[in-house]
Amino acid sequence: MNTPQPTKMPAFRQVGEKQLPNPVLCMAWSPKRDLIALANTAGELLLHRLANFQRVWSLPPNENTGKEITALAWRPDGKILAFSLGDTKLVVLCDAEKAEILHLFPLENPVSCMHWMEVLEESSVLNSFYTSEDESNLFLPKLPTLPKSEEKSDEILNLLGEVRLNILVLGGGSGFVELYAYGMYKIATLPGVPGTCSSLCLSSDLKSLSIITEIRSADNDPEICYIQLDTGLLSDCLPEVTRMARKFTHISTLLQYLRLSLTCMCEAWEDILMQMDLRLTKFVQVSGHCLGPELQALLMNQLTVKGLKKLGQSIETSYSSIQKLVISHLQSGSEALLYHLSEVKGMSLWKQKFQPLGLDSAAIEDAITAVGSFTLKANELLQVIDKSMKNFKAFFRWLYVAMLRMSEEHVPPELNKMTQKDIAFVADFLSEHFSENEELFDRKGKYFNVERVGQYLKDEDEDLVSPPNTKGNQWLKFLQESTHLKESPLLFPSYSQKSLHFVKRMMEGVIELCLQKPAVSNVYSQGCYCVNIDAHFLLMTRYNDKKTNMHYGVFCMPEISPCKLYLLRKFTDPFRTIFLLHVCFSSDCVYSCQDARFYDDETLTVVLRASEEENRGRVLAQLPLGSALSCEEEFNWDPSLRLDQQSGAIPVKGLVLENQWRDLENMKAQFVAVNGIRKVACVLSSNLRHVRVYEMDVEDEEDEERPESQNASSDQDGLEETPAIRGEAEGGETEGGGQRAKEQLESGEALELS
């Protein structure tokens, strides 16, 4: 590459600089906003703004999710950030606005790279689906927001995102490659991929998936393998895949909504009813052994007339809150689940359209049955709440009158009038709650809650301590006596001995079996080309040109030809086996390439390093690729030979930096991440702690006063200069966790524009 010539003013505008306390593992720009996500060796996920590199939020490591972030990817709309964790083998979807974890799912293997793409194919069938996708709103009421959690409800619904299909592609070791529609529903598992994935890219037309893997031989010699997988089944069935995946995304979102609804119910119970339970349990213990002065002292000194009245109002309010949550949230969510699962079942029966996608009718039927059982249990809870409210009202009215008489106060005439029905309620309440029956003791030797709602909300596997009394239930008697209906698949099992939480977990497990089953598993590899790296092959980036339907890859081999960049182009159609490979270099060049990222379809952003003879540092530059891309000269790649054994036959094109470059003073730059849509770049130093951010399409005035944040020796947060930063100034390199971070960044995936 030609040596840059001095210009009047530096290209690009530096807008921020930061020295970070921990080495950076991954960084990725938001596709829609001037935000960049960073993951470091401490397990933190950080979000920074372009301006002054200001921190927006940080998500600290969590023991439940994990501490070893291995890859990042943004959803194409920029609202969701996905990251993978190597120690727990989880993928987490995080809300970009508030750092809230919205969804996570486990994997069999750790993820080493990920790519989140949007499908841009258009068709009349798809356009019809996009416009009619919300037809469920015609049949289902809008789900109400959760009390005190309106923002959380909106975040959960944000998981749905846009209707247009987007796919999260995950790659790891041992041939692990999986595709998740909308980042949630697994639609494909791709077998037969050798080695460990270091980079991958699914074409926007869904015809092929390009993968770069590292393979270790028996002698532990590494090889780089370029693989293109035919994913034509996804492309051919795009309308069906989109419709099916959208339904499963609805289902996953509804499950999360039901979890939050149940959490709100538990909070309503715990806040008030636990206090009630403590007071009335004491009453049970005392009244069960004596009816004399001790009980009277308890009623008059601890409960008191005023306290009893307040307690009764609190209980009624709590029961009403739980009752409203069951009716408006659990029942509405269950109805929506049944609706979407029934539609998926209809898809599974349409063999001509959906059979290639692997929908299992039996598994879907089991899921519908599980949702029906959950609905029955919710209705059972409503009946228990209704009965408890009536009994508690009658009991408190009776007890209130008794306490007024003991205190010799006036009893209002309306309270003195108790109907036979009221007396029956009180008798039932006393016989159920205040007897000395051993069933009232829980398994820890204490009195069980004297109210019967809490046992339904306990997340335990044990049976209900006080299940509903079904004696005299004519419907149950009829079912038991009917040989045809007793085991009928048309009837939902009721699980009368189990809690609502237990039935909910069982329902989630059955539905998860449907979600985890891959829709597509019969994709196959088309063309496998291996290149022995001999410890000197550096793959930098790959890119999908949506206009020309080409996969791009840029790499270099610094020990063989340090001043050369290799540009690989391959059609997304795997049956077009033409490779276009060019070497871009100049005979008098003095720069080698440290890192490169595609800025747009015809521009490459690079970090260059001067040779030892040059008295210059690192350079950030924009390389125009127009002349190289216009060349149609083909390279006949012989897959039986390594690339370095046939490099002499590769066509050559020269590159000129022109004026789009600037020196990176006082920084040993090593990596770069770019977003050509937002026209921004982030440069990372070799010690992985020092970052600078630039606006790329403006020039920096030389006499412009630099803001404080751009001082390389200071940190906005008042952090002292770390040893790694000092080592950089002295020519040292990072140690420990920084080495692992450098290896991960060099894989090329962590810095991609998702």
Side-chain angles (χ1 to χ4, degrees):
M1 282 162 283
N2 292 332
T3 306
Q5 299 299 320
T7 58
K8 292 183 179 180
M9 60 184 65
F12 327 135
R13 176 190 295 161
Q14 181 179 328
V15 294
E17 185 166 4
K18 193 84 165 182
Q19 295 176 0
L20 302 174
N22 297 296
V24 173
L25 283 168
C26 320
M27 55 184 184
W29 283 101
S30 166
K32 297 294 184 180
R33 301 173 63 184
D34 293 336
L35 299 171
I36 186 169
L38 307 174
N40 60 31
T41 54
E44 291 179 297
L45 181 64
L46 310 170
L47 190 70
H48 286 260
R49 297 188 191 280
L50 172 68
N52 297 328
F53 207 69
Q54 177 186 2
R55 181 185 296 183
V56 180
W57 52 252
S58 66
L59 187 65
N62 187 309
E63 292 183 359
N64 297 324
T65 56
K67 300 180 180 180
E68 184 184 334
I69 299 178
T70 58
L72 296 175
W74 287 86
R75 196 168 73 179
D77 64 1
K79 294 181 179 180
I80 302 292
L81 180 63
F83 61 95
S84 57
L85 297 131
D87 48 346
T88 56
K89 302 178 184 177
L90 290 175
V91 171
V92 180
L93 303 187
C94 172
D95 179 64
E97 289 291 332
K98 300 187 177 84
E100 293 279 351
I101 294 178
L102 303 181
H103 183 70
L104 54 84
F105 54 90
L107 300 169
E108 293 183 2
N109 298 283
V111 172
S112 58
C113 57
M114 60 171 59
H115 171 232
W116 207 333
M117 53 78 64
E118 185 176 37
V119 179
L120 299 179
E121 285 293 289
E122 299 285 353
S123 71
S124 58
V125 177
L126 277 176
N127 291 334
S128 174
F129 171 67
Y130 294 154
T131 55
S132 64
E133 192 271 339
D134 289 331
E135 62 186 10
S136 60
N137 294 336
L138 301 175
F139 307 103
L140 297 172
K142 183 180 179 181
L143 294 177
T145 56
L146 298 171
K148 302 179 183 179
S149 304
E150 293 186 8
E151 294 180 354
K152 188 70 175 178
S153 300
D154 294 338
E155 290 167 6
I156 295 301
L157 296 178
N158 279 343
L159 277 172
L160 287 174
E162 299 178 357
V163 182
R164 183 178 293 277
L165 180 63
N166 57 73
I167 298 177
L168 177 63
V169 189
L170 307 175
S174 305
F176 164 71
V177 178
E178 291 182 347
L179 277 62
Y180 286 79
Y182 301 105
M184 300 176 65
Y185 168 52
K186 181 164 65 176
I187 57 173
T189 297
L190 312 183
V193 178
T196 300
C197 296
S198 60
S199 182
L200 38 72
C201 183
L202 181 63
S203 63
S204 60
D205 57 10
L206 288 186
K207 289 184 178 180
S208 65
L209 173 66
S210 285
I211 307 174
I212 305 297
T213 67
E214 181 177 316
I215 305 172
R216 294 281 174 173
S217 65
D219 299 328
N220 204 33
D221 293 328
E223 288 184 337
I224 290 293
C225 179
Y226 172 84
I227 302 173
Q228 186 178 36
L229 297 179
D230 175 20
T231 55
L233 180 58
L234 292 178
S235 177
D236 296 339
C237 300
L238 178 56
E240 291 76 23
V241 169
T242 303
R243 187 178 294 272
M244 178 186 64
R246 191 65 177 175
K247 282 297 174 188
F248 273 105
T249 307
H250 272 291
I251 291 167
S252 296
T253 304
L254 287 169
L255 286 176
Q256 187 77 342
Y257 179 83
L258 290 178
R259 293 186 198 109
L260 288 174
S261 300
L262 206 52
T263 300
C264 291
M265 291 170 57
C266 292
E267 291 173 353
W269 171 70
E270 290 171 356
D271 290 344
I272 304 298
L273 300 187
M274 286 296 288
Q275 179 184 0
M276 176 272 297
D277 181 50
L278 291 174
R279 293 185 182 183
L280 292 188
T281 297
K282 182 67 175 177
F283 178 78
V284 172
Q285 294 169 339
V286 174
S287 63
H289 298 285
C290 66
L291 297 174
E294 187 178 352
L295 176 59
Q296 184 173 350
L298 171 70
L299 292 174
M300 302 307 298
N301 299 330
Q302 294 189 23
L303 283 179
T304 73
V305 174
K306 185 177 180 181
L308 182 66
K309 189 174 182 180
K310 185 177 180 181
L311 181 60
Q313 293 173 346
S314 299
I315 291 174
E316 185 176 0
T317 301
S318 297
Y319 275 140
S320 298
S321 299
I322 297 175
Q323 194 175 43
K324 290 177 182 177
L325 283 168
V326 174
I327 295 173
S328 62
H329 294 74
L330 287 192
Q331 289 188 335
S332 298
S334 300
E335 290 171 1
L337 264 179
L338 285 173
Y339 172 85
H340 291 295
L341 282 169
S342 298
E343 288 216 330
V344 174
K345 182 184 176 183
M347 295 177 190
S348 68
L349 297 176
W350 193 354
K351 305 289 186 183
Q352 182 182 1
K353 288 283 188 181
F354 292 92
Q355 189 172 24
L357 303 183
L359 287 177
D360 188 342
S361 299
I364 298 169
E365 186 62 45
D366 290 342
I368 292 175
T369 301
V371 176
S373 296
F374 179 77
T375 305
L376 288 179
K377 183 57 67 172
N379 288 330
E380 180 184 309
L381 177 58
L382 281 178
Q383 295 174 12
V384 172
I385 292 174
D386 185 62
K387 183 179 179 182
S388 295
M389 288 180 70
K390 291 177 181 178
N391 287 348
F392 266 111
K393 280 184 178 180
F395 169 72
F396 278 120
R397 182 181 178 183
W398 169 79
L399 188 60
Y400 182 61
V401 171
M403 293 177 67
L404 288 176
R405 287 173 177 168
M406 281 189 289
S407 61
E408 298 181 354
E409 294 185 18
H410 172 69
V411 179
E414 63 273 11
L415 294 180
N416 258 329
K417 299 177 182 178
M418 290 191 71
T419 64
Q420 195 66 31
K421 195 174 183 181
D422 292 336
I423 296 174
F425 281 145
V426 174
D428 288 344
F429 187 87
L430 292 175
S431 63
E432 285 185 11
H433 298 287
F434 297 158
S435 68
E436 294 188 68
N437 194 316
E438 291 183 359
E439 292 181 359
L440 286 178
F441 289 85
D442 71 6
R443 295 160 184 81
K444 296 181 181 178
K446 299 178 181 178
Y447 277 94
F448 181 72
N449 300 320
V450 294
E451 58 85 27
R452 303 301 170 92
V453 174
Q455 59 181 343
Y456 282 84
L457 303 179
K458 288 183 177 293
D459 192 5
E460 298 175 352
D461 293 335
E462 288 84 359
D463 293 347
L464 296 175
V465 175
S466 302
N469 185 2
T470 58
K471 292 181 180 179
N473 189 307
Q474 297 297 318
W475 170 249
L476 292 178
K477 182 180 178 181
F478 171 70
L479 289 182
Q480 292 299 323
E481 295 175 352
S482 173
T483 56
H484 298 289
L485 289 178
K486 186 184 299 185
E487 303 296 334
S488 173
L490 299 176
L491 299 177
F492 300 140
S494 59
Y495 301 101
S496 59
Q497 301 295 320
K498 296 297 182 181
S499 70
L500 182 66
H501 249 298
F502 177 89
V503 179
K504 188 262 298 182
R505 282 192 282 112
M506 183 198 68
M507 174 188 69
E508 289 175 335
V510 175
I511 293 178
E512 285 299 322
L513 291 178
C514 297
L515 297 178
Q516 291 175 1
K517 179 178 173 58
V520 181
S521 59
N522 58 338
V523 295
Y524 58 90
S525 63
Q526 170 70 25
C528 180
Y529 303 91
C530 296
V531 183
N532 192 322
I533 65 174
D534 290 333
H536 57 240
F537 182 98
L538 175 63
L539 179 83
M540 293 182 176
T541 189
R542 82 284 171 282
Y543 182 76
N544 172 219
D545 189 340
K546 304 172 183 64
K547 297 177 181 178
T548 60
N549 292 326
M550 298 279 285
H551 283 299
Y552 289 176
V554 173
F555 55 91
C556 64
M557 292 185 284
E559 293 189 12
I560 293 180
S561 49
C563 297
K564 296 180 181 178
L565 276 178
Y566 295 81
L567 174 64
L568 179 150
R569 290 191 290 165
K570 177 72 174 66
F571 287 103
T572 58
D573 185 349
F575 297 101
R576 299 181 65 179
T577 57
I578 300 175
F579 270 89
L580 302 175
L581 191 63
H582 306 286
V583 176
C584 308
F585 81 110
S586 175
S587 58
D588 60 345
C589 67
V590 293
Y591 280 79
S592 60
C593 188
Q594 298 295 106
D595 196 16
R597 303 289 146 185
F598 276 97
Y599 184 76
D600 55 34
D601 293 343
E602 296 186 351
T603 308
L604 196 66
T605 303
V606 295
V607 173
L608 303 176
R609 178 180 182 178
S611 62
E612 295 181 359
E613 293 78 12
E614 287 284 317
N615 187 22
R616 303 178 71 94
R618 310 291 171 98
V619 170
L620 177 67
Q622 298 278 64
L623 295 183
L625 299 178
S627 60
L629 297 177
S630 62
C631 178
E632 296 296 332
E633 187 176 356
E634 298 176 13
F635 169 63
N636 296 319
W637 191 322
D638 185 352
S640 63
L641 299 175
R642 300 194 311 266
L643 181 61
D644 58 341
Q645 295 175 334
Q646 47 189 323
S647 59
I650 300 176
V652 176
K653 295 292 291 186
L655 290 181
V656 180
L657 289 182
E658 299 177 348
N659 290 330
Q660 292 297 305
W661 64 273
R662 72 173 292 159
D663 286 316
L664 299 174
E665 299 174 354
N666 302 319
M667 183 182 194
K668 191 185 291 185
Q670 185 74 25
F671 303 103
V672 64
V674 298
N675 183 341
I677 299 174
R678 305 297 302 178
K679 306 183 187 306
V680 290
C682 181
V683 180
L684 179 65
S685 66
S686 59
N687 66 17
L688 310 177
R689 299 172 187 253
H690 185 187
V691 295
R692 285 181 187 168
V693 287
Y694 295 91
E695 290 181 340
M696 301 299 286
D697 279 10
V698 294
E699 292 182 336
D700 198 7
E701 296 288 348
E702 284 187 331
D703 57 350
E704 184 179 358
E705 185 178 352
R706 292 231 185 257
E708 245 178 55
S709 64
Q710 295 180 12
N711 187 343
S713 63
S714 66
D715 181 23
Q716 283 180 325
D717 295 338
L719 296 171
E720 295 183 2
E721 187 181 25
T722 64
I725 293 291
R726 289 194 295 268
E728 178 195 75
E730 297 166 4
E733 294 294 337
T734 184
E735 298 179 0
Q739 184 61 34
R740 179 171 66 90
K742 176 180 279 191
E743 292 173 357
Q744 189 166 343
L745 288 166
E746 285 177 345
S747 71
E749 182 63 27
L751 294 171
E752 69 155 318
L753 171 62
S754 301

